Amino acid sequence: MIPAVELLRKANITQKQGLGVLIITPTRELAMHNYKWARDCLQYHNKTHGVVIGGAKRSAEAHQLQKGVNLLVATPGRLLDHLENTKGFVFHNLQMLIIDEADAILKIGFEEEMNKIIKLLPQKTRVTCLFSATMTKKVEDLCRLSLKNPVLIEVAKDSANSTNSSLEQGYVIADPARKFQLLFTFLRKNMNKKIMVFMSSCNAVKFYSDLLNYVDIPVKDIHGKQKQ
């Protein structure tokens, strides 16, 4: 996110010049999470920002895009709708395209929308960053369509060691009804260690962070704000 904000600053894109950075994500929830971080990073910059997602009020989004948005976070379906149908949406000055969780975008079924989006966006001036947990054939096809002279950055898959040689890994198969009990016990026994817990949604993170703090397991939520 920081490189995107720095690019906007150096390019000195004004509100009237419209879109400078576009971040495409697979789901509304991830879009809102990314937008939160984008908004925080831009709080000391005079750049406009916005988010367009399915389920939100389209007319309000269109009005904001017509006024000029420098950094936009979007889900594919709603973004394509605005690219094709929102008059006054200026996106020909795009400097950076970020495709987040490309494999998830394609797995959900947005392949056709992504192909159309890539063809509508300016090709020559932008930097494109594509992030994917897996490299499937569909992701490779999207790379060929959206990237020019790409540089691949990945974990050394041929290494004899894991990413961190001191990392210990394990897993437990638990009944859904006992997952929280297991999590509570594990955190209680390891309170002297730094532990990161992934949840299925932002709402789950907030619910369980509030609950754990309530039962005297001090944790921080997804926003990094200490709950007391």
Side-chain angles (χ1 to χ4, degrees):
M1 195 67 70
I2 293 176
V5 173
E6 184 64 13
L7 182 148
L8 280 178
R9 185 188 68 81
K10 289 184 177 180
N12 198 27
I13 295 177
T14 64
Q15 183 173 0
K16 288 184 177 180
Q17 289 176 306
L19 193 61
V21 173
L22 173 62
I23 303 170
I24 304 177
T25 67
T27 64
R28 294 189 297 268
E29 188 172 78
L30 184 56
M32 293 306 300
H33 172 62
N34 284 341
Y35 178 59
K36 185 269 176 190
W37 286 107
R39 191 177 55 207
D40 289 350
C41 290
L42 285 168
Q43 62 180 318
Y44 300 114
H45 299 270
N46 61 340
K47 305 300 178 185
T48 55
H49 47 77
V51 58
V52 295
I53 53 177
K57 191 174 182 180
R58 190 195 181 285
S59 59
E61 293 177 349
H63 179 68
Q64 186 180 23
L65 294 175
Q66 290 163 345
K67 290 173 62 178
V69 173
N70 299 141
L71 187 150
L72 181 68
V73 182
T75 50
R78 181 56 64 89
L79 172 63
L80 180 60
D81 183 9
H82 284 297
L83 288 173
E84 293 180 331
N85 303 310
T86 299
K87 295 181 179 180
F89 176 20
V90 178
F91 55 85
H92 64 268
N93 293 312
L94 183 67
Q95 301 290 308
M96 177 179 284
L97 168 64
I98 300 173
I99 304 174
D100 192 16
E101 297 198 15
D103 52 344
I105 290 175
L106 299 175
K107 186 176 181 180
I108 291 173
F110 284 121
E111 183 177 2
E112 183 178 349
E113 286 84 352
M114 287 301 301
N115 289 338
K116 290 181 179 179
I117 288 168
I118 297 300
K119 291 177 180 178
L120 287 170
L121 295 176
Q123 304 293 319
K124 295 182 179 180
T125 58
R126 72 166 193 259
V127 175
T128 302
C129 302
L130 185 148
F131 300 92
S132 180
T134 59
M135 188 56 70
T136 64
K137 185 182 183 303
K138 286 187 176 181
V139 173
E140 290 177 352
D141 291 341
L142 182 60
C143 289
R144 282 191 288 271
L145 181 65
S146 60
L147 305 176
K148 184 178 180 180
N149 301 321
V151 176
L152 177 64
I153 302 174
E154 62 179 341
V155 175
K157 57 186 177 183
D158 295 328
S159 174
N161 299 320
S162 59
T163 304
N164 186 331
S165 59
S166 62
L167 181 67
E168 294 183 8
Q169 302 185 59
Y171 67 92
V172 175
I173 299 175
D175 185 277
R178 300 191 61 188
K179 279 187 176 181
F180 179 74
Q181 180 182 355
L182 177 64
L183 176 63
F184 174 86
T185 303
F186 181 79
L187 293 177
R188 174 66 75 182
K189 289 182 178 179
N190 295 278
M191 291 184 67
N192 61 330
K193 299 179 181 179
K194 291 183 178 180
I195 297 172
M196 182 179 294
V197 180
F198 294 92
M199 299 286 182
S200 60
S201 68
C202 293
N203 287 336
V205 171
K206 186 178 187 310
F207 175 80
Y208 284 108
S209 65
D210 288 344
L211 180 57
L212 287 165
N213 278 291
Y214 182 77
V215 294
D216 296 324
I217 302 289
V219 299
K220 294 182 180 179
D221 66 15
I222 197 169
H223 305 300
K225 180 180 178 182
Q226 181 70 45
K227 301 268 187 179
Q228 300 294 340

